[in-house]
């Protein structure tokens, strides 16, 4: 963080500074984990390893998929046929993106829960809107109890939103207000044995309009209770944010590494979206979205580093996703094959 202006918010400055000091304390560990995950000269035995040998990078039982990627198939074929394919492809978990299936017919929450289990899948989370101008909207702000009732009926351990904390604008105070609402949702979810989480896009890593020295994502982390509000890092969008927001509005450097956010507070990141992209400096986000395994994001390095944190192979869940796949079943199959093929030391 650059030096603050004279009209800085002392409380926020203290929180961000404290977070920075915690980051320094965690820095050696993070650096060690990053180093451990980076390529190194292979020992003779390690050099002899071939693809398919060595410990799998992907922890067993932790591969999921965000069903938004398969919305076309859910709408036309229904959950049962989609789940049958996911079971065949080796998925363990699903993250819901709505509980209806369009033209495939009506389904109750009880039926959806049973279908998920019947195909050997666990429902790990769900995306719900943050707020709406419609008082009857199915969002956290408008219908918190209903959202949590449904999540509980489905047996979810996590319930979250893919909406950014922009309800009150892009100022520090606006994000502090949104963070307080997130704390409220987190407290209500915890009472029911669930974790509330927020899923990022690139814009969360931009800077406050009233404090161009403050990254908005840092405000979210500083102002939310770490015991109540958790994060689902969409890795693709985090790297897109790195491409777009590594300089402040005035052009001064402000580099950041998405992985270091996770390594500094790994307990806050139970869920991840595994989404791939090809580098393209001419694109707004610096990447073109592709199927997992076809792009340039080093998931072997990323997942391996998270695995090396305390409880890393046990406490994190990896959801494959593509916003608009060319063929959604092909995307799901290829993503599973690629992630299951990754091996440490190879």
């Amino acid at each position: 963080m650059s030096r603050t202006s004279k009209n800085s918010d002392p409380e926020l400055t203290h929180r961000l500074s404290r977070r920075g000091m915690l980051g320094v304390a965690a820095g050696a560990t993070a650096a060690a984990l990053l180093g451990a995950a980076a390529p190194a000269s292979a020992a003779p035995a390690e050099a002899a390893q071939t693809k398919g040998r060595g410990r799998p990078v992907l922890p067993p039982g932790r591969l999921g998929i965000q069903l938004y990627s398969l919305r076309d198939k859910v709408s036309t074929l229904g959950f049962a046929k989609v789940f049958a394919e996911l079971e065949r492809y080796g998925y363990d978990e699903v993250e819901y993106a709505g509980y209806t299936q369009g033209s495939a017919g009506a389904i109750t929450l009880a039926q959806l829960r049973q279908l998920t289990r019947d195909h050997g899948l666990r429902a790990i989370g769900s995306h719900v809107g943050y707020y709406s101008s419609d008082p009857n909207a199915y969002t956290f702000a408008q219908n918190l109890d209903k959202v949590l009732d449904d999540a509980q009926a489905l047996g979810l351990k996590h319930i979250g939103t893919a909406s950014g904390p922009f309800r009150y604008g892009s100022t520090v105070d606006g994000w502090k207000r949104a963070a307080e609402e997130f704390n409220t949702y987190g407290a209500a979810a915890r009472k029911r044995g669930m974790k509330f989480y927020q899923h990022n896009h690139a814009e969360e890593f931009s800077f406050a309009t009233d404090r161009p020295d403050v990254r908005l994502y840092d405000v979210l982390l500083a102002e939310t209770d770490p015991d109540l509000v958790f994060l689902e890092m969409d890795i693709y969008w985090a790297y897109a944010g790195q491409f777009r927001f590594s300089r402040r509005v005035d052009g001064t450097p402000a580099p950041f590494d998405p992985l270091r956010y996770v390594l500094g507070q790994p307990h806050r990141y139970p869920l991840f979206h595994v989404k791939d992209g090809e580098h393209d400096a001419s694109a707004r986000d610096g990447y073109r979205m592709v199927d997992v395994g076809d792009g340039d994001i080093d998931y072997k390095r990323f997942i391996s580093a998270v695995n090396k944190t305390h409880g890393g192979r046990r406490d994190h869940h990896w959801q494959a996703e593509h916003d608009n796949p060319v063929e959604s079943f092909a995307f799901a199959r290829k993503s599973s094959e690629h992630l299951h093929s990754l091996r440490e030391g190879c």
Side-chain angles (χ1 to χ4, degrees):
M1 190 68 65
S2 64
R3 58 192 176 91
T4 56
S5 60
K6 292 181 180 179
N7 61 347
S8 301
D9 180 334
E11 180 183 358
L12 177 64
T13 300
H14 170 73
R15 292 191 185 189
L16 292 176
S17 298
R18 182 175 183 275
R19 179 180 171 278
M21 290 302 295
L22 292 173
V24 170
T29 300
L33 292 169
L34 285 163
S41 299
E46 182 178 331
Q49 289 183 327
T50 58
K51 189 173 182 179
R53 298 176 63 185
R55 189 183 192 189
V57 170
L58 185 71
R62 289 294 184 268
L63 178 61
I65 191 165
Q66 166 51 250
L67 291 174
Y68 182 77
S69 303
L70 296 160
R71 61 194 180 278
D72 61 324
K73 298 296 194 293
V74 172
S75 177
T76 56
L77 302 177
F79 283 109
K81 291 183 178 179
V82 169
F83 290 166
E85 287 298 298
L86 295 178
E87 182 180 20
R88 192 162 67 89
Y89 300 156
Y91 282 91
D92 309 295
E93 301 174 334
V94 293
E95 183 181 36
Y96 297 122
Y99 312 134
T100 59
Q101 49 182 356
S103 62
I107 188 170
T108 67
L109 294 179
Q111 289 171 330
L112 179 56
R113 180 174 183 171
Q114 190 60 50
L115 269 181
T116 307
R117 292 179 170 183
D118 286 347
H119 291 283
L121 299 167
R122 291 184 301 275
I124 191 63
S126 180
H127 284 183
V128 177
Y130 166 22
Y131 66 94
S132 171
S133 58
D134 178 0
N136 298 313
Y138 189 78
T139 64
F140 282 95
Q142 276 67 45
N143 276 292
L144 177 61
D145 287 340
K146 174 61 174 170
V147 167
L148 296 181
D149 286 345
D150 289 352
Q152 199 164 20
L154 288 164
L156 299 181
K157 296 298 183 185
H158 307 84
I159 180 68
T161 183
S163 302
F166 292 97
R167 183 180 188 181
Y168 305 107
S170 299
T171 65
V172 169
D173 282 344
W175 273 53
K176 289 173 74 172
R177 288 181 65 188
E180 189 55 40
E181 291 182 344
F182 282 11
N183 286 333
T184 298
Y185 309 152
R190 186 169 71 170
K191 288 180 180 178
R192 299 179 183 231
M194 294 179 283
K195 291 180 178 179
F196 168 80
Y197 64 95
Q198 193 268 342
H199 164 284
N200 67 275
H201 292 88
E203 288 73 20
E204 281 86 339
F205 298 96
S206 63
F207 297 93
T209 53
D210 61 333
R211 290 281 306 278
D213 58 326
V214 173
R215 193 180 302 281
L216 288 171
Y217 197 69
D218 292 338
V219 178
L220 177 66
L221 289 173
E223 295 295 326
T224 51
D225 186 329
D227 294 325
L228 299 177
V229 177
F230 298 85
L231 293 308
E232 176 179 63
M233 178 172 280
D234 185 304
I235 300 169
Y236 171 92
W237 287 121
Y239 279 110
Q242 181 190 57
F243 177 84
R244 291 175 59 188
F245 304 114
S246 282
R247 288 186 177 275
R248 301 181 183 87
V249 177
D250 64 3
T252 57
F256 73 94
D257 182 348
L259 180 53
R260 287 187 180 272
Y261 272 112
V262 179
L263 298 183
Q265 301 185 68
H267 64 286
R268 295 200 74 177
Y269 292 88
L271 307 176
F272 294 88
H273 273 193
V274 178
K275 184 185 298 179
D276 214 343
E278 289 181 333
H279 282 299
D280 182 352
S282 68
R284 182 196 67 165
D285 296 316
Y287 293 89
R288 298 288 182 185
M289 199 176 297
V290 297
D291 290 351
V292 176
D294 290 346
D296 299 310
I297 296 177
D298 190 348
Y299 279 107
K300 178 180 173 181
R301 172 179 177 267
F302 197 103
I303 298 173
S304 292
V306 176
N307 285 344
K308 291 177 174 65
T309 62
H310 179 70
R313 295 186 69 87
R314 180 192 66 232
D315 296 339
H316 305 281
H317 304 261
W318 306 90
Q319 319 296 310
E321 188 186 32
H322 190 310
D323 290 358
N324 293 290
V326 174
E327 208 297 312
S328 55
F329 276 155
F331 154 74
R333 175 182 51 77
K334 288 169 59 180
S335 299
S336 176
E337 289 175 353
H338 174 71
L339 292 168
H340 278 115
S341 76
L342 298 178
R343 293 292 184 274
E344 294 179 354
C346 297

